[in-house]
Amino acid sequence: MDDGAWWQVELERPVRLGRVALHWQDAHPSAYRVQVSSDGRRWRTAATVRNARGGHESVRMDARDVRHIRVQGEKRATQYGYSLWAVEAYAVTD
């Protein structure tokens, strides 16, 4: 498994993203970024997480015009890859 592995999703419509909840198994990154995009080609970093502990992590941000979300790994916490059990994305109501 590569440290730079990623997971991404396309939302039904653009939203203002306020929070992403990540549910990791034992194999998780110690550092990662939550990136967002309106078109799936140009990405911007909405949040950077250092010293991640795995398990349930809630990452807050305020990102507008989000249609695509990517969790971009930077460094593994274990010798294994990343095991992302579930992801929840929460929009902010304007």
Side-chain angles (χ1 to χ4, degrees), residues 32-44:
Y32 62 91
R33 289 171 285 150
V34 177
Q35 298 178 312
V36 295
S37 173
S38 60
D39 60 10
R41 292 187 299 273
R42 292 170 303 193
W43 294 89
R44 61 191 191 274

Side-chain angles (χ1 to χ4, degrees), residues 2 9 12 20 39-40 44 46 54 59 71 74:
D2 181 13
V9 66
E12 183 178 340
V20 175
D39 60 10
R44 61 191 191 274
V59 183
V71 178
E74 291 184 0

Side-chain angles (χ1 to χ4, degrees), residues 7-93:
W7 172 90
Q8 76 181 41
V9 66
E10 180 178 359
L11 303 176
E12 183 178 340
R13 60 178 166 55
V15 299
R16 178 179 169 195
L17 188 63
R19 182 170 68 98
V20 175
L22 305 169
H23 304 270
W24 300 100
Q25 291 186 310
D26 290 340
H28 65 278
S30 62
Y32 62 91
R33 289 171 285 150
V34 177
Q35 298 178 312
V36 295
S37 173
S38 60
D39 60 10
R41 292 187 299 273
R42 292 170 303 193
W43 294 89
R44 61 191 191 274
T45 298
T48 301
V49 177
R50 302 279 181 240
N51 300 317
R53 296 190 178 115
H56 176 84
E57 294 183 327
S58 183
V59 183
R60 294 194 178 277
M61 64 208 63
D62 187 1
R64 295 179 182 270
D65 193 28
V66 174
R67 179 77 189 262
H68 303 263
I69 303 168
R70 177 186 289 170
V71 178
Q72 174 69 58
E74 291 184 0
K75 185 177 179 186
R76 291 174 288 165
T78 69
Q79 65 180 338
Y80 307 104
Y82 307 133
S83 184
L84 188 55
W85 182 264
V87 177
E88 301 166 39
Y90 295 92
V92 174
T93 304

